[in-house]
């Protein structure tokens, strides 16, 4: 009788649970039993593992074989357990030393020829192993760079089961030929990218200051001075933005340029974003670490599950998680289903989304900057003078009511985008500031906020509770008088007053002031309510 155990990791969302893979050999009729709540893909690993072991030159034990995955109550899914199952079986058969693999975490799919294929979710899996105290991890060679992002973990990348057996038995490690013909993409990477899983998630092809000339530059936006200033305030403080205006005014154009005025991700944020993208299957091969804020723009036909996450079995990350620490752009927001939009209210407040399904409860990160863009009416010409809008008032009201009050109450900045004038379109007003210039001011404003919030769990003005801003960080005397009058008149809710205060702090940070003054609050009110008060033209914020 032989017994051996190895370890692997089961992913539930972006959280991992270390699973002990136990193999037991007993005399009897040759059979292979796999227990421990496996899914269909994992059940099929019995045939993959048997073929891979035989084709790797090792003998398959002709005994009664039972492989258990513990803890048995945790659902296990995917082909990432193949490598751990194969090594545990070989340890029970004493082909490799059972003591050498007891604390070894193995993640990878096996081909029938014994090659180790990469799988999604390597980074969160290795993070879970490290948090559980494991320090030796074996992964597919194509995923070694991603696994190496976790500190204090020894990572071994292998291309085949033969190579791993040689390493564990102190034998000569064989060389593996490339999987495909020279000059073609590696077919082993096919399982890392899921077609259609990105929901419009991606980064622009270049970056400000780089050699690529086709990155989206804010200088390409003609006119729209107020909207550009609002874009800068949104980037500096992490405030949600609503752009309303006729078609062709530049709403989508500005939203696509917002990620390029955001600062690069910190190391911790990069690891969080990379973990989500790895699980979702949208992490580009050869780029193990996402360093720029992501940009996600789902189509208006997206379902509630595709926005917040879900699906059959264990819930998968949705658009709000794919946009974590980046931008979620909802173009034609009024065309989205109202239930899908209202489902965003919880992650907008908490920065995460909790999805409960029969297969389990998953908590996914979802701290994003949301940009809504919508036309004022179905034809889009309601606010254009002399444009011939024929939408009845009842149709206009019904169209605008698709964006619920509770959702808009969570949006800090609301801007009426005006049609582009002929002089702006012909460049008579001159080009606006570039993304690089605006990004410099945004970075300085965020540094001021970070210094103010040092030692607290917050980094951006949009994250700080209103109670803390009112009591811990005082504004200038009398600065809130106008906002308090708006609250008494019912034009602002209590949540709205807190959000005006947050925006006022961001405006003050952009102006380099120690605390908000009455003019900063007036700018925040103008951006919040969309009612022109003349304050925007008096500040030095923006172009």
């Amino acid at each position: 009788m032989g017994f051996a155990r190895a370890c692997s990791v089961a992913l539930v969302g972006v959280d991992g649970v270390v699973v002990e893979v136990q193999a037991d050999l007993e005399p009897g009729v040759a059979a292979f039993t796999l227990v421990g709540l496996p899914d269909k893909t994992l059940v099929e690993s019995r045939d993959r593992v048997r073929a891979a072991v035989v084709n790797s030159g090792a003998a398959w034990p002709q005994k009664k074989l039972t492989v258990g995955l513990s803890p048995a109550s945790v659902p296990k899914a995917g082909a990432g357990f193949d490598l751990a199952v194969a090594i545990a079986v070989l340890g029970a058969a004493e082909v490799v030393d059972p003591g050498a693999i007891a604390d070894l975490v193995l993640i990878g799919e096996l081909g029938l020829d014994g090659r180790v294929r990469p799988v999604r979710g390597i980074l969160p899996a290795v993070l879970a192993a490290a948090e559980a105290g494991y320090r030796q991890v074996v992964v597919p060679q194509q995923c070694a760079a991603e696994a190496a992002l976790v500190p204090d973990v020894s990572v071994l990348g292998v291309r085949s089961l033969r190579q791993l057996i040689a390493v564990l038995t102190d034998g000569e490690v064989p060389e593996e030929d490339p999987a495909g013909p020279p000059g073609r993409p590696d077919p082993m990477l096919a399982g890392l990218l899921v077609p259609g899983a990105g929901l419009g998630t991606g980064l622009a092809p270049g970056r400000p200051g780089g050699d690529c000339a086709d990155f989206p530059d804010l200088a390409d936006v003609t006119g729209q001075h107020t909207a550009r200033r609002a874009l800068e305030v949104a980037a500096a403080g992490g405030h949600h933005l609503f752009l309303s205006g006729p078609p062709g005014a530049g709403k989508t154009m500005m939203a696509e340029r917002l990620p390029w005025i955001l600062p690069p991700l910190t190391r911790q944020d990069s690891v969080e974003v990379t973990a989500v993208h790895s699980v979702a299957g949208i992490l580009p091969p050869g780029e193990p670490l996402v360093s720029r804020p992501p940009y996600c723009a789902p189509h208006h036909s997206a379902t509630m599950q595709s926005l917040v996450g879900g699906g059959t079995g264990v819930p998968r990350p949705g658009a709000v998680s794919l946009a974590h620490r980046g931008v979620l752009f909802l173009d034609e927001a009024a065309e989205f289903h109202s239930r899908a939009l209202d489902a965003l209210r919880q992650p907008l407040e908490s920065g995460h989304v909790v999805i409960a399904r029969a297969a389990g409860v998953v908590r996914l990160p979802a701290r994003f900057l949301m940009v809504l863009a919508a036309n004022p009416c179905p034809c889009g010409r309601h606010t254009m003078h002399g444009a011939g809008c024929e939408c009845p008032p009842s149709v206009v009201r019904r169209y605008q009511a698709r964006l619920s009050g509770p959702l808009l109450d969570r949006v800090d900045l609301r801007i009426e985008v005006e049609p582009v004038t002929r002089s702006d379109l012909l460049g008579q007003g001159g080009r606006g500031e570039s993304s690089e210039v605006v990004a410099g001011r945004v970075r300085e404003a965020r540094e001021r906020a970070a210094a103010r919030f040092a030692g607290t769990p917050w980094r951006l003005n949009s994250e700080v509770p209103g109670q803390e801003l009112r009591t811990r960080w005082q504004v200038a005397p009398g600065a809130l008088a106008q906002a308090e009058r708006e609250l008494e008149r019912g034009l602002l809710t209590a949540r709205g007053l807190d959000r005006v205060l947050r925006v006022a702090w961001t405006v003050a940070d952009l102006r380099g002031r120690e605390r908000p003054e009455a003019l900063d609050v007036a700018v925040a009110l103008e951006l919040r309510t969309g009612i022109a008060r003349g304050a925007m033209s008096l500040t030095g914020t923006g172009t």
Side-chain angles (χ1 to χ4, degrees):
M1 183 177 68
F3 176 84
R5 63 184 179 90
C7 294
S8 191
V9 178
L11 288 178
V12 182
V14 293
D15 297 321
V17 178
V18 175
V19 173
E20 188 177 87
V21 181
Q22 304 171 342
D24 179 70
L25 285 174
E26 296 181 357
V29 178
F32 188 171
T33 304
L34 183 65
V35 297
L37 213 58
D39 71 339
K40 179 65 175 176
T41 303
L42 187 49
V43 169
E44 293 175 350
S45 69
R46 295 177 298 183
D47 299 320
R48 291 194 301 270
V49 169
R50 182 187 292 108
V53 169
V54 173
N55 290 326
S56 298
W60 183 259
Q62 298 300 316
K63 294 182 179 181
K64 181 181 178 182
L65 171 62
T66 303
V67 174
L69 308 176
S70 179
S73 59
V74 176
K76 290 89 177 175
F81 293 89
D82 289 1
L83 195 58
V85 171
I87 291 301
V89 171
L90 293 175
E94 297 184 351
V95 175
V96 299
D97 182 11
I101 63 174
D103 293 324
L104 197 62
V105 177
L106 305 105
I107 308 167
E109 176 185 348
L110 286 176
L112 299 183
D113 58 352
R115 292 183 184 272
V116 181
R117 303 180 64 93
V119 294
R120 301 190 302 273
I122 288 291
L123 178 58
V126 177
L127 283 170
E131 292 176 358
Y134 294 88
R135 292 293 175 262
Q136 292 182 316
V137 178
V138 179
V139 298
Q141 190 177 58
Q142 296 90 334
C143 301
E146 182 181 347
L149 297 174
V150 183
D152 302 325
V153 173
S154 176
V155 178
L156 172 63
V158 295
R159 279 193 170 272
S160 68
L161 183 59
R162 284 184 292 271
Q163 289 184 337
L164 182 55
I165 293 174
V167 171
L168 295 175
T169 58
D170 296 328
E172 183 179 354
V173 180
E175 293 291 336
E176 292 292 345
D177 297 329
R184 293 187 182 179
D186 189 352
M188 304 292 283
L189 300 176
L192 290 181
L193 294 177
V194 179
L199 288 170
T201 298
L203 301 177
R207 59 180 301 172
D211 296 331
C212 187
D214 60 349
F215 77 90
D217 195 343
L218 199 58
D220 300 333
V221 180
T222 57
Q224 306 300 354
H225 303 293
T226 301
R228 287 170 57 96
R229 293 167 184 167
L231 211 67
E232 183 176 338
V233 173
H239 305 288
H240 306 304
L241 175 64
F242 176 39
L243 300 174
S244 176
K251 303 186 294 294
T252 302
M253 194 176 185
M254 287 185 285
E256 291 175 344
R257 281 147 180 77
L258 180 56
W260 294 106
I261 65 176
L262 294 174
L265 299 176
T266 64
R267 174 73 179 191
Q268 179 181 353
D269 292 344
S270 293
V271 171
E272 292 178 2
V273 173
T274 302
V276 175
H277 286 207
S278 178
V279 169
I282 61 173
L283 190 65
E287 299 181 13
L289 187 66
V290 178
S291 59
R292 294 292 309 178
Y295 174 80
C296 187
H299 191 260
H300 61 258
S301 61
T303 63
M304 182 172 63
Q305 288 75 17
S306 66
L307 284 180
V308 301
T312 59
V314 178
R316 306 285 296 176
V320 297
S321 296
L322 300 181
H324 179 61
R325 299 298 180 185
V327 177
L328 176 66
F329 177 47
L330 302 182
D331 200 5
E332 305 294 345
E335 301 294 341
F336 280 79
H337 196 283
S338 59
R339 289 186 59 216
L341 289 178
D342 287 337
L344 301 176
R345 286 152 57 178
Q346 185 251 340
L348 285 174
E349 288 288 338
S350 62
H352 63 267
V353 59
V354 178
I355 308 169
R357 295 291 186 271
V361 179
V362 174
R363 185 181 186 273
L364 298 170
R367 188 167 295 282
F368 53 89
L369 197 164
M370 182 180 68
V371 180
L372 302 173
N375 297 331
C377 67
C379 75
R381 301 190 297 270
H382 179 64
T383 57
M384 299 174 64
H385 299 292
C389 174
E390 298 179 354
C391 300
S394 60
V395 173
V396 175
R397 288 194 300 270
R398 188 161 54 249
Y399 186 81
Q400 295 178 351
R402 293 182 181 180
L403 300 177
S404 67
L407 176 66
L408 290 180
D409 200 34
R410 290 166 168 81
V411 178
D412 301 344
L413 315 175
R414 306 174 190 176
I415 304 300
E416 291 286 342
V417 181
E418 299 294 334
V420 180
T421 63
R422 182 173 62 89
S423 60
D424 288 332
L425 192 61
L426 297 178
Q428 297 176 4
R431 283 172 61 88
E433 292 178 318
S434 66
S435 295
E436 190 172 5
V437 173
V438 178
R441 290 199 297 268
V442 169
R443 182 175 61 254
E444 293 174 359
R446 288 203 173 195
E447 289 173 355
R448 294 188 185 99
R452 182 168 62 251
F453 300 139
T456 71
W458 313 296
R459 291 182 296 175
L460 300 176
N461 292 317
S462 60
E463 301 174 359
V464 185
Q467 177 67 21
E468 293 289 338
L469 285 179
R470 290 191 299 270
T471 58
R472 190 168 178 178
W473 293 283
Q474 297 285 338
V475 301
L480 285 177
Q482 187 176 2
E484 291 170 353
R485 288 195 296 269
E486 299 286 355
L487 177 64
E488 293 176 355
R489 294 169 56 190
L491 298 180
L492 280 180
T493 63
R495 179 191 289 118
L497 180 62
D498 288 343
R499 292 185 176 275
V500 166
L501 188 55
R502 295 170 183 171
V503 175
W505 272 102
T506 301
V507 175
D509 288 335
L510 285 168
R511 298 178 65 197
R513 297 187 177 275
E514 293 296 328
R515 59 179 180 174
E517 300 178 350
L519 181 59
D520 302 319
V521 177
V523 171
L525 277 172
E526 187 171 332
L527 292 172
R528 169 77 180 181
T529 61
I531 302 174
R533 305 167 188 265
M536 292 290 291
S537 60
L538 298 178
T539 66
T541 302
T543 58

